C-alpha cells in the first residue's frame, strides 16, 4: 500500500459520504461486517503478527494474544448489535391531565454522531489500532471511522487497512466506512481533528498529546467531543494482611511480571506500590528487585519512547528521598525499582507523574495509618489495586472509598495489566487518565461514546412504527 497523506486525498470526506448510509444500516449488516473483519484478521494471522513484531518488538506470544483479543472484541460488538440493545428505544406513554403527572408521549432514541477520528495507540498494534476497540465500537454504533495510524506500526496499519478495504468491497459497502491517515507528521492528526466532517475523536496516547488535540477539538468552529484515554499512574496498595494470605515471593513474581510485560509499555501498569514497612514487605521488595533485575527486556516501541523513559528515570532517581534498587544500565535497557518514604512521596508532586516503561516506585509507610493519605495524594487513574482487602475492616473500607474516588476500575486480586472485554468493563478514570471519565474505551459500553440521545415528543404514528422495538 502506498502512503496516503491527508493533502492528496480526503478520507474524512469519504467517511462523511458513507455516514448517512451506515447510520441507518440494520443490525445484521453491521454485525456481518464486524464478523468478517474478525475472520479476515484471523486468516492473515501469521504474516500480520510477524509484521507487528518486526515493528514493535512486543513478541509473538503477546501479539498472537492481542490479535485474539481484537477478533473477540469485533465479534462481541457484532453480538451486541444483533441483540438489539444498542439502539433500544425508551418510551414514556402519554398521561392525561396537568403537569407534572400529565405528560406527552416521549420516545428516546440514540443516533450515531457521524465520522469518528481515531488515534491509534503505540503499544497496542492490534487492539487499539486500525481494527481495535475504538473502530469496532464506532462501526457498531453506526459511525464511519478515520484512523490516524501510529508511527510505531505504520506498515502493519497499512496491511490491516488493506484487508479492511477488501472486506468492504466484498460486502459492497462504501470504502469510506474505514479510512486511514498515515502521513509522517503531527500535522496530519491535527488536520484530521480540524476537519469539518469529523464529529468525534477517540484518542489513546499521552496526556500531553491528548491535551493538545483536545484543545483543537474544542477550538473548532463547531466543537466536537474528544474521548481521550491518556497516561495513568496506577496505584497498588498492599495491606499488611496480604502477606499472610500469600507468600511474598508469589506476590513479587506477579508484580514483576506485570511491570516488565511488554517493557512496561502499558497504560494499566502498576506505577506506584504503597505498603507498610515490615519484615514481610522488606522481603517482598528484595524479591521484586531480584525478579526485575532478571526480567527479559527488549527494545521499546520507538526511540522517542525509549528516550522519554530514560529521562523520566533520571528525574526520578535524582528526586529527594528516592532510593534506587534496580535501574537501566548504559549498555542494557532495563527496569527501574526505587523506594521512597511516604512523607517524601506526598511532598513531591513530580514523583506522581507517569513513567511510561518498566518502572515502579515503592512508597513505604511507617504504619497503616499512612496508606489512605498516600492514596489520596494521587491523581485520577485508570485502575487502582488493593491487595489484602478481603476482610471487612475500617481501613479496607477507607481504601476502597479512596480508590473509588480516583480510579475507573478497582481491582482486589491479581495485577491490573490486562483489561477484559466484557459488558461491565470500565477503562477510563478521572483526569488525567481520561478526558471523559463517564465513558469507557474498552467493553460494550464503548459504543455509547459515539451515540447521541434524541427524544421524539408526541411523534406521529408512522415515525414511532419505524423505531426499533
Ligand atoms: P503520544 O506521543 O501522545 O502519541 C499518540 C498519538 O498522538 C500519535 O499519533 C501522535 O502523533 C499524536 N500526537 C501526539 N502529540 C500530538 C500533538 N501535539 N498534535 C497532534 N498529534 C499529536 O503517545 P505515545 O508516546 O505514542 O504513547 C504512550 C502514551 O500512551 C503513554 O502515556 C500511555 O500511558 C498512553 N496510553 C494510554 C492508554 C489508555 O488506554 N489510557 C493506552 C495505551 C497508551 P504522531 O503519529 O504524528 O506521532
Amino acid at each position: 500500500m502506498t502512503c496516503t497523506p491527508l493533502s492528496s486525498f480526503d478520507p474524512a470526506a469519504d467517511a462523511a459520504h458513507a455516514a448517512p448510509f451506515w447510520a441507518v444500516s440494520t443490525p445484521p449488516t453491521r454485525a456481518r461486517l464486524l464478523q468478517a473483519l474478525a475472520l479476515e484478521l484471523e486468516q492473515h494471522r501469521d504474516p500480520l503478527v510477524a509484521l507487528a513484531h518486526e515493528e514493535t518488538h512486543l513478541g509473538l506470544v503477546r501479539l498472537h494474544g492481542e490479535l485474539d483479543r481484537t477478533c473477540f472484541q469485533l465479534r462481541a460488538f457484532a453480538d451486541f448489535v444483533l441483540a438489539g440493545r444498542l439502539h433500544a428505544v425508551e418510551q414514556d406513554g402519554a398521561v392525561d391531565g396537568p403537569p407534572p403527572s400529565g405528560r406527552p408521549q416521549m420516545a428516546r432514541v440514540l443516533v450515531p454522531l457521524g465520522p469518528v477520528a481515531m488515534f491509534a495507540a503505540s503499544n497496542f498494534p492490534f487492539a487499539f489500532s486500525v481494527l481495535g476497540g475504538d473502530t469496532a465500537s464506532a462501526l457498531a454504533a453506526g459511525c464511519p471511522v478515520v484512523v490516524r495510524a501510529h508511527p510505531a506500526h505504520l506498515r502493519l496499519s497499512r496491511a490491516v487497512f488493506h484487508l479492511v478495504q477488501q472486506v468492504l468491497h466484498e460486502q459492497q459497502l462504501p470504502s469510506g466506512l474505514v479510512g486511514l491517515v498515515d502521513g509522517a507528521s503531527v500535522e496530519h492528526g491535527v488536520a484530521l481533528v480540524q476537519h469539518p466532517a469529523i464529529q468525534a475523536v477517540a484518542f489513546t496516547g499521552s496526556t500531553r498529546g491528548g491535551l493538545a488535540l483536545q484543545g483543537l477539538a474544542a477550538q473548532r468552529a463547531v466543537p466536537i467531543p474528544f474521548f481521550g484515554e491518556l497516561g495513568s499512574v496506577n496505584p497498588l496498595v498492599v495491606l499488611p494482611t496480604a502477606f499472610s494470605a500469600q507468600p511474598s515471593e508469589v506476590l513479587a513474581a506477579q508484580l514483576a511480571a506485570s511491570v516488565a510485560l511488554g517493557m512496561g509499555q502499558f497504560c494499566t501498569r502498576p506505577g506506584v506500590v504503597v505498603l507498610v514497612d515490615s519484615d514481610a514487605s522488606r522481603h517482598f521488595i528484595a524479591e521484586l528487585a531480584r525478579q526485575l533485575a532478571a526480567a527479559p527486556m527488549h527494545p521499546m516501541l520507538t526511540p522517542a519512547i525509549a528516550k522519554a523513559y530514560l529521562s523520566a528515570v533520571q528525574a526520578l532517581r535524582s528526586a529527594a528521598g528516592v532510593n534506587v534498587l534496580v535501574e537501566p544500565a548504559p549498555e542494557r535497557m532495563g527496569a527501574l525499582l526505587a523506594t521512597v518514604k511516604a512523607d517524601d512521596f506526598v511532598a513531591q508532586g513530580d514523583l506522581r507523574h507517569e513513567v511510561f516503561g518498566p518502572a515502579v516506585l515503592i512508597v513505604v509507610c511507617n504504619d497503616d495509618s499512612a496508606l489512605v493519605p498516600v492514596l489520596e495524594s494521587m491523581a485520577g487513574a485508570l485502575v487502582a489495586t488493593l491487595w489484602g482487602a478481603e476482610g471487612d475492616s475500617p481501613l479496607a473500607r477507607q481504601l476502597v472509598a479512596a480508590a473509588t474516588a480516583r480510579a475507573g476500575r478497582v481491582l482486589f486480586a491479581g495485577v491490573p495489566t490486562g483489561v477484559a472485554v466484557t459488558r461491565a468493563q470500565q477503562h477510563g478514570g478521572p483526569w488525567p487518565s481520561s478526558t471523559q471519565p463517564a465513558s469507557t474505551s474498552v467493553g460494550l459500553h464503548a459504543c455509547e461514546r459515539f451515540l447521541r440521545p434524541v427524544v421524539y415528543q408526541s411523534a406521529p404514528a408512522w415515525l414511532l412504527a419505524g423505531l426499533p422495538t
Side-chain angles (χ1 to χ4, degrees), residues 119-124 128 148-151 183-187 189-190 203-210 212-213 216 228-232 265-268 301-302 305 354 356 382 427 433-434 441:
F119 283 72
S122 54
N123 55 348
F124 284 96
F128 281 88
R148 168 65 175 130
H150 196 285
S185 93
V186 291
E187 282 149 33
V190 167
F203 172 91
T204 302
S206 64
T207 303
R208 197 162 53 95
L213 292 167
L216 294 175
E229 290 301 334
L230 312 178
S232 180
Q265 298 164 121
F266 276 88
C267 53
T268 49
L301 289 161
T302 64
I305 287 176
E354 184 195 34
F356 191 61
L382 292 169
H427 186 67
S433 64
S434 311
S441 69

Side-chain angles (χ1 to χ4, degrees), residues 82-254:
L82 283 174
R85 299 208 188 106
L86 200 53
H87 290 280
V89 178
E90 246 177 88
Q91 301 256 17
D92 286 336
V95 174
D96 285 339
S101 50
R103 67 187 186 203
Q105 191 276 338
M106 315 279 257
R108 183 184 173 92
V109 299
L110 292 170
V111 298
L113 288 180
V116 173
M118 191 285 239
F119 283 72
S122 54
N123 55 348
F124 284 96
F126 292 112
F128 281 88
S129 189
V130 179
L131 278 182
D134 289 327
T135 300
S137 54
L139 288 174
C143 300
V145 182
V146 183
V147 178
R148 168 65 175 130
H150 196 285
H153 36 81
L154 270 187
R155 285 187 294 140
L156 176 72
S157 302
R158 290 173 191 149
V160 174
F161 177 66
H162 183 62
L163 296 178
V164 174
Q165 288 302 316
Q166 276 178 2
V167 172
L168 291 173
H169 182 72
E170 279 158 22
Q171 297 201 351
Q172 297 180 321
L173 293 171
S175 62
L177 276 184
V178 180
L180 185 73
V181 171
D182 64 358
S185 93
V186 291
E187 282 149 33
H188 291 85
V190 167
L192 184 60
V193 171
Q194 291 175 330
H195 198 295
I198 294 298
Q199 298 302 313
V201 182
F203 172 91
T204 302
S206 64
T207 303
R208 197 162 53 95
L211 260 181
L213 292 167
Q214 184 187 32
L216 294 175
Q219 286 154 19
R220 291 167 37 125
V222 179
I224 51 173
F226 182 91
F227 298 96
E229 290 301 334
L230 312 178
S232 180
V233 181
N234 305 297
L236 188 159
V237 182
V238 189
L239 279 88
T241 50
F243 292 120
S244 38
Q246 278 204 73
S248 48
E249 299 81 20
V250 173
L251 292 172
Q254 251 187 339

